[in-house]
Short mmCIF file of all heavy atoms in Angstrom, two decimals:
data_model
loop_
_atom_site.label_atom_id
_atom_site.label_comp_id
_atom_site.label_asym_id
_atom_site.label_seq_id
_atom_site.Cartn_x
_atom_site.Cartn_y
_atom_site.Cartn_z
N THR D 1 89.98 109.49 93.59
CA THR D 1 90.58 109.54 92.27
C THR D 1 89.56 110.07 91.26
O THR D 1 88.36 109.78 91.40
CB THR D 1 91.07 108.16 91.81
OG1 THR D 1 91.54 108.25 90.45
CG2 THR D 1 89.98 107.11 91.90
N THR D 2 90.03 110.84 90.30
CA THR D 2 89.15 111.35 89.25
C THR D 2 89.17 110.47 88.00
O THR D 2 88.41 110.71 87.06
CB THR D 2 89.56 112.78 88.86
OG1 THR D 2 90.92 112.76 88.41
CG2 THR D 2 89.43 113.72 90.05
N PHE D 3 90.06 109.45 88.02
CA PHE D 3 90.24 108.63 86.82
C PHE D 3 89.41 107.36 86.83
O PHE D 3 89.19 106.75 85.78
CB PHE D 3 91.71 108.26 86.66
CG PHE D 3 92.62 109.44 86.51
CD1 PHE D 3 93.72 109.60 87.33
CD2 PHE D 3 92.37 110.41 85.54
CE1 PHE D 3 94.56 110.69 87.19
CE2 PHE D 3 93.21 111.51 85.40
CZ PHE D 3 94.31 111.65 86.23
N TYR D 4 88.95 106.92 88.01
CA TYR D 4 88.27 105.62 88.10
C TYR D 4 87.03 105.74 88.97
O TYR D 4 87.01 106.48 89.97
CB TYR D 4 89.19 104.55 88.72
CG TYR D 4 90.46 104.29 87.95
CD1 TYR D 4 91.64 104.96 88.28
CD2 TYR D 4 90.49 103.36 86.92
CE1 TYR D 4 92.82 104.71 87.59
CE2 TYR D 4 91.67 103.10 86.23
CZ TYR D 4 92.83 103.78 86.57
OH TYR D 4 93.99 103.53 85.89
N ASP D 5 86.02 104.98 88.61
CA ASP D 5 84.92 104.68 89.52
C ASP D 5 85.37 103.43 90.29
O ASP D 5 85.39 102.32 89.73
CB ASP D 5 83.64 104.41 88.73
CG ASP D 5 82.45 104.08 89.62
OD1 ASP D 5 82.65 103.41 90.66
OD2 ASP D 5 81.33 104.48 89.29
N VAL D 6 85.76 103.62 91.54
CA VAL D 6 86.44 102.55 92.28
C VAL D 6 85.56 101.31 92.38
O VAL D 6 86.02 100.18 92.15
CB VAL D 6 86.88 103.04 93.67
CG1 VAL D 6 87.43 101.88 94.49
CG2 VAL D 6 87.92 104.14 93.53
N GLU D 7 84.27 101.48 92.72
CA GLU D 7 83.40 100.31 92.86
C GLU D 7 83.31 99.53 91.55
O GLU D 7 83.43 98.30 91.54
CB GLU D 7 82.00 100.74 93.31
CG GLU D 7 81.87 100.95 94.79
CD GLU D 7 80.40 101.09 95.20
OE1 GLU D 7 79.56 100.31 94.70
OE2 GLU D 7 80.11 101.99 95.99
N GLU D 8 83.08 100.24 90.48
CA GLU D 8 82.97 99.56 89.18
C GLU D 8 84.29 98.91 88.79
O GLU D 8 84.31 97.77 88.27
CB GLU D 8 82.54 100.56 88.11
CG GLU D 8 82.38 99.93 86.73
CD GLU D 8 81.99 100.94 85.67
OE1 GLU D 8 81.72 102.11 86.03
OE2 GLU D 8 81.96 100.58 84.47
N THR D 9 85.39 99.59 89.04
CA THR D 9 86.70 99.05 88.68
C THR D 9 86.99 97.75 89.42
O THR D 9 87.52 96.78 88.85
CB THR D 9 87.81 100.08 88.97
OG1 THR D 9 87.55 101.28 88.22
CG2 THR D 9 89.18 99.53 88.60
N LEU D 10 86.62 97.70 90.69
CA LEU D 10 86.91 96.51 91.50
C LEU D 10 86.16 95.28 90.99
O LEU D 10 86.60 94.16 91.23
CB LEU D 10 86.56 96.77 92.97
CG LEU D 10 87.48 97.73 93.72
CD1 LEU D 10 86.99 97.93 95.16
CD2 LEU D 10 88.92 97.23 93.73
N THR D 11 85.05 95.47 90.32
CA THR D 11 84.29 94.32 89.81
C THR D 11 84.64 93.96 88.38
O THR D 11 84.20 92.92 87.88
CB THR D 11 82.78 94.60 89.90
OG1 THR D 11 82.46 95.76 89.12
CG2 THR D 11 82.35 94.81 91.34
N THR D 12 85.41 94.82 87.70
CA THR D 12 85.72 94.56 86.28
C THR D 12 87.19 94.28 86.03
O THR D 12 87.60 94.09 84.88
CB THR D 12 85.30 95.78 85.44
OG1 THR D 12 85.95 96.96 85.91
CG2 THR D 12 83.79 95.97 85.50
N LEU D 13 88.00 94.24 87.07
CA LEU D 13 89.42 93.90 86.90
C LEU D 13 89.55 92.47 86.38
O LEU D 13 88.84 91.56 86.80
CB LEU D 13 90.17 94.04 88.23
CG LEU D 13 90.35 95.46 88.78
CD1 LEU D 13 90.83 95.40 90.23
CD2 LEU D 13 91.35 96.24 87.93
N GLY D 14 90.50 92.26 85.46
CA GLY D 14 90.75 90.92 84.95
C GLY D 14 91.71 90.15 85.84
O GLY D 14 92.25 90.67 86.83
N ILE D 15 91.93 88.89 85.50
CA ILE D 15 92.88 88.06 86.25
C ILE D 15 94.28 88.66 86.10
O ILE D 15 94.72 89.00 85.00
CB ILE D 15 92.87 86.62 85.74
CG1 ILE D 15 91.51 85.98 85.99
CG2 ILE D 15 93.97 85.80 86.41
CD1 ILE D 15 91.36 84.60 85.37
N GLY D 16 94.96 88.81 87.22
CA GLY D 16 96.29 89.41 87.19
C GLY D 16 96.29 90.92 87.12
O GLY D 16 97.33 91.53 86.87
N GLU D 17 95.14 91.54 87.35
CA GLU D 17 95.04 92.99 87.42
C GLU D 17 94.60 93.39 88.82
O GLU D 17 93.91 92.63 89.51
CB GLU D 17 94.05 93.53 86.38
CG GLU D 17 94.49 93.29 84.95
CD GLU D 17 93.50 93.82 83.93
OE1 GLU D 17 92.36 94.15 84.32
OE2 GLU D 17 93.86 93.89 82.74
N ALA D 18 94.98 94.59 89.25
CA ALA D 18 94.67 95.03 90.60
C ALA D 18 94.58 96.55 90.65
O ALA D 18 95.17 97.25 89.82
CB ALA D 18 95.73 94.54 91.58
N LEU D 19 93.81 97.04 91.60
CA LEU D 19 93.77 98.46 91.90
C LEU D 19 94.81 98.71 92.99
O LEU D 19 94.73 98.12 94.07
CB LEU D 19 92.38 98.87 92.37
CG LEU D 19 92.09 100.37 92.43
CD1 LEU D 19 92.15 100.99 91.04
CD2 LEU D 19 90.72 100.64 93.07
N VAL D 20 95.79 99.57 92.70
CA VAL D 20 96.97 99.71 93.56
C VAL D 20 97.10 101.12 94.09
O VAL D 20 96.94 102.10 93.33
CB VAL D 20 98.25 99.33 92.78
CG1 VAL D 20 99.49 99.59 93.63
CG2 VAL D 20 98.19 97.88 92.33
N THR D 21 97.37 101.25 95.37
CA THR D 21 97.78 102.51 95.98
C THR D 21 98.93 102.20 96.94
O THR D 21 98.91 101.17 97.64
CB THR D 21 96.63 103.20 96.72
OG1 THR D 21 97.13 104.39 97.36
CG2 THR D 21 96.02 102.31 97.79
N THR D 22 99.94 103.06 96.94
CA THR D 22 101.13 102.82 97.76
C THR D 22 101.49 104.09 98.51
O THR D 22 101.01 105.19 98.19
CB THR D 22 102.33 102.39 96.90
OG1 THR D 22 102.76 103.51 96.11
CG2 THR D 22 101.98 101.23 95.99
N LEU D 23 102.34 103.94 99.51
CA LEU D 23 102.90 105.09 100.21
C LEU D 23 104.17 105.53 99.51
O LEU D 23 105.06 104.72 99.24
CB LEU D 23 103.21 104.74 101.67
CG LEU D 23 102.05 104.67 102.66
CD1 LEU D 23 102.58 104.34 104.04
CD2 LEU D 23 101.28 105.98 102.69
N SER D 24 104.25 106.81 99.23
CA SER D 24 105.47 107.36 98.62
C SER D 24 106.55 107.46 99.69
O SER D 24 106.27 107.36 100.89
CB SER D 24 105.18 108.74 98.04
OG SER D 24 104.94 109.68 99.09
N PRO D 25 107.83 107.66 99.31
CA PRO D 25 108.89 107.83 100.31
C PRO D 25 108.63 108.96 101.30
O PRO D 25 109.17 108.94 102.41
CB PRO D 25 110.13 108.11 99.44
CG PRO D 25 109.84 107.41 98.15
CD PRO D 25 108.37 107.58 97.93
N SER D 26 107.79 109.91 100.91
CA SER D 26 107.45 110.99 101.84
C SER D 26 106.28 110.63 102.73
O SER D 26 105.86 111.43 103.58
CB SER D 26 107.12 112.27 101.05
OG SER D 26 106.01 112.05 100.19
N GLY D 27 105.72 109.42 102.56
CA GLY D 27 104.62 108.96 103.40
C GLY D 27 103.25 109.34 102.93
O GLY D 27 102.26 109.14 103.64
N VAL D 28 103.14 109.89 101.71
CA VAL D 28 101.84 110.29 101.16
C VAL D 28 101.28 109.16 100.31
O VAL D 28 101.97 108.66 99.41
CB VAL D 28 101.99 111.57 100.30
CG1 VAL D 28 100.64 111.96 99.70
CG2 VAL D 28 102.56 112.70 101.13
N PRO D 29 100.04 108.74 100.55
CA PRO D 29 99.47 107.67 99.72
C PRO D 29 99.18 108.16 98.31
O PRO D 29 98.69 109.28 98.11
CB PRO D 29 98.18 107.29 100.46
CG PRO D 29 97.84 108.48 101.28
CD PRO D 29 99.12 109.14 101.64
N SER D 30 99.48 107.33 97.33
CA SER D 30 99.20 107.68 95.93
C SER D 30 97.72 107.50 95.65
O SER D 30 97.02 106.75 96.35
CB SER D 30 100.01 106.79 95.00
OG SER D 30 99.50 105.45 95.03
N GLN D 31 97.22 108.20 94.62
CA GLN D 31 95.87 107.90 94.19
C GLN D 31 95.88 106.52 93.53
O GLN D 31 96.91 106.07 93.02
CB GLN D 31 95.36 108.96 93.24
CG GLN D 31 96.11 109.11 91.94
CD GLN D 31 95.43 110.12 91.03
OE1 GLN D 31 94.22 110.03 90.77
NE2 GLN D 31 96.18 111.11 90.56
N PRO D 32 94.78 105.80 93.56
CA PRO D 32 94.77 104.42 93.04
C PRO D 32 94.82 104.39 91.52
O PRO D 32 94.25 105.24 90.84
CB PRO D 32 93.45 103.85 93.57
CG PRO D 32 92.57 105.04 93.77
CD PRO D 32 93.47 106.17 94.15
N PHE D 33 95.51 103.36 91.02
CA PHE D 33 95.57 103.10 89.58
C PHE D 33 95.28 101.63 89.35
O PHE D 33 95.75 100.76 90.09
CB PHE D 33 96.95 103.44 89.01
CG PHE D 33 97.26 104.90 88.95
CD1 PHE D 33 97.85 105.54 90.03
CD2 PHE D 33 96.93 105.66 87.84
CE1 PHE D 33 98.13 106.90 89.99
CE2 PHE D 33 97.20 107.01 87.78
CZ PHE D 33 97.80 107.64 88.85
#
């Protein structure tokens, strides 16, 4: 992803927040948000 530093994001998420990636109906994984 070009929007997040994944390592830094994983340590700064608040309670009830998450880094999410899912499979689209076509089977392609989304970039994390």
